[in-house]
Amino acid sequence: MTSMSKDKIVNSVPQTGFFGHPKGLFTLFFTEFWERFSYYGMRALLLYFMYTEVSSGGLGIEDGTAKSIMAIYGSLVYMSGIIGGWIADRLLGAQRTVFHGGVLIMLGHIILALPAGKTALFISMFLIVIGTGLLKPNVSNIVGDMYSPQDNRRDSGFSIFYMGINMGAFIAPFIVGTIGQEYNYHLGFGTAAIGMFLGLVMFLITQKKSLGLAGTYVPNPLAQDEKKKVFGRFALGTVVIMLLAAITVPTGILTINRFTYLVSILGIVIPALYFIVMYRSPKTNEDEKSRLLAYIPLFVAAMVFWAIAEQGSIILAEYADKRTDLSVFGMTLQSSWFQSLNPLFIIALAPIFAGMWVKLGDRQPSTSKKFSYGLFFAGLSFVVMIIPAWLGGVDTLVSPIWLVLSFLFVVIGELCLSPVGLSATTKLAPSAFSAQTMSLWFMSNASAQAINAQIVKLYTPDTEILYFGIIGGVSILLGVILYMSSPKIQSFMRGVK
Ligand code: GLU
Ligand code: ASP
C-alpha cells in the first residue's frame, strides 16, 4: 500500500471522540470488550463443565483429558489467527473479517448453551477457534490503521484497547461464571453468547461513522486466477480433512489424545517454519536477519511466559475448585471468580507500569531485560504455590490468598512482557512480513498452549509440589539466562531497543 492511501485511510477516521483518540477506538474497544467477555466467561466455566459428572450437569470427561482439551483449545484459538490474518489481507479486508468472526463466535457459544453433550462441545470449539482467528488479530490491526505512522498517540491507543480486553475478562467470571455455577452451565454459556451478540450490534451500529475506511480495503488482494487456484485447494483440503475425520474418528484411530499430540507438534513446527521462511527470504536484508536471530530467544521466553500464564484458567482453576477453601468472611466464593484476578491486577497495575517506563525514559530496561523479568515473575507465581502444600499437605483446603498472590505475580510478569512483546515483534520482524506481525506474536501463545496440552496432564494434588516447583524453577532459570545474555541479544537487534 502506498503512503498516499495510508493517509487517505487515516483522514477518513474521525481523529477525536474517545478520550482524545480516534472515534473508531470506541467501536473497537467495545467489540473486543464483548468478545473477550464471551471468551473468558466461557473459559471460566469450561474446565468445570468438562470434568463435572454428567449427573451434576457436566460432561464427565476425565480430569487430565479435560485439562489437555483446555490447552489445545486455547492453542488453536490463537493459531487460527494466521488464517484470519490471511483472509483479511487477501480476501475480505479486516472489517468484514471481524464481523464474520463475531458471528461464528456467537454461534459457538449458542451451541454450547444447548444441552447436547460432547458433540456440541466440539462443534462449538471449532466455531470459536475459527471465529476468534478471524476477529481477534483483525480488530487489533484496525486499531493500528487509525493512526498515522507519526502519531504519538498510537501506543496509548493500544493501552486503552488492552484495558478493554481486560475489563471484559474481568467482569465475565462474575456474570457468566456465577450464572453457570449457581444455576446451570448452559445458561452461563448462553450469557457468553449474549455478550458476543452485544459486541456485534455495537460494531454494526457504530462501524460506518467511526471507522471510516480503516479495515475496509483488501491490502494484498488475490488475483482472479489465484482466487480460483486457492478456492480449489481450499475445497480439496476441506474434503480431505473431512474424509480423514470420517475414517479416523469412528475407527478410533484419531482419539483426543492423538489429536492433542498433533496440535502440540504443530505448535513447534509452525513457528519454526515462520522463522526459516523469513530468514531465507530474499526480501530479508542482513540487518533484518540479525534482528530475527535476536527475536528467537524472545519468542521462546514469551512461550514459557504464556505457558505459565495460560495455566491460570487450567491448573489454577482446578486448584480453586479442589484445593481452596471457598468460604471467606461468611461468604461463599465461586471458583470461577478467581479468573477475574488476572485482569483485575492488569487494570490496576498497567497504568503504574506505563508511568514507570515513561518516568525511566532512556534508563528503562531493554526489551530483553523486560522479558527476563516476565519469566522471573511467572516462575515466582508457580513457586509460591509450593508453600501451601509444603506447610499443610495436600489433604486440607487452603486459603484463597495463595491464588491471589500467584495471580498477582504472574500479572507483574505479564506487564513486563506482554505490552512490549507486540511492539518488539513489529520492530524485529522483517518489513516484508509486517502483515503477519500480529499472527506471529499470537503464535507465541499458541505454541505455549500446544505444549501445555502435554504438561497439564501431569498435575494432581499429589504431584503438586514437584509440578509447581519444576515449572516455576525452569522459568526463573531461563529468566536469569536471558538477563545475562541480554547485552548480546540487544547487539543483534542492530539499533532496536
Ligand atoms: N490476555 C490477552 C488477550 O486475551 C493477551 C493474549 C496474548 O497476547 O497472547 O488478549
Ligand atoms: N490478561 C489477559 C489478557 O491480557 C486476560 C486474562 O488472562 O484474563 O488479556
Side-chain angles (χ1 to χ4, degrees), residues 32 36 39-40 78 136 162-170 173 306 309-310 312-313 338-344 346-347 407 410-411 414 418 445:
E32 183 62 342
R36 291 285 95 183
Y39 181 71
Y40 283 113
Y78 287 116
K136 196 168 189 331
Y162 183 54
M163 283 291 162
I165 290 179
N166 281 285
M167 280 160 71
F170 169 65
W306 289 122
E310 293 288 354
S313 62
F338 286 85
Q339 296 306 313
S340 288
L341 285 169
N342 173 314
L344 171 69
I346 296 264
I347 296 166
F407 279 111
V410 91
V411 164
E414 189 165 333
S418 175
N445 190 318

Side-chain angles (χ1 to χ4, degrees), residues 319 323 384-394 396 398-399 402 464:
Y319 197 96
R323 292 271 292 116
V384 71
M385 293 307 290
I386 297 176
I387 304 173
W390 186 51
L391 290 180
V394 292
T396 49
V398 309
S399 156
W402 297 107
E464 194 172 296

Side-chain angles (χ1 to χ4, degrees), residues 365-386:
S366 61
T367 299
S368 38
K369 283 211 172 120
K370 284 184 186 161
F371 269 56
S372 73
Y373 301 150
L375 283 181
F376 176 77
F377 281 103
L380 203 58
S381 81
F382 263 30
V383 169
V384 71
M385 293 307 290
I386 297 176

Side-chain angles (χ1 to χ4, degrees), residues 43 67-79 257-271 299 303-304 306-308 310-311 314 442-457:
R43 264 187 96 82
K67 283 183 282 187
S68 273
I69 294 177
M70 285 294 284
I72 283 301
Y73 187 15
S75 172
L76 291 172
V77 154
Y78 287 116
M79 222 179 255
N257 251 336
R258 290 204 177 122
F259 183 70
T260 306
Y261 279 112
L262 199 71
V263 178
S264 299
I265 293 169
L266 280 182
I268 297 175
V269 171
I270 296 177
F299 187 88
M303 259 173 79
V304 176
W306 289 122
I308 291 183
E310 293 288 354
Q311 288 190 39
I314 309 176
F442 284 137
M443 206 50 221
S444 68
N445 190 318
S447 299
Q449 298 206 64
I451 291 164
N452 268 357
Q454 304 307 325
I455 300 175
V456 291
K457 295 184 233 176

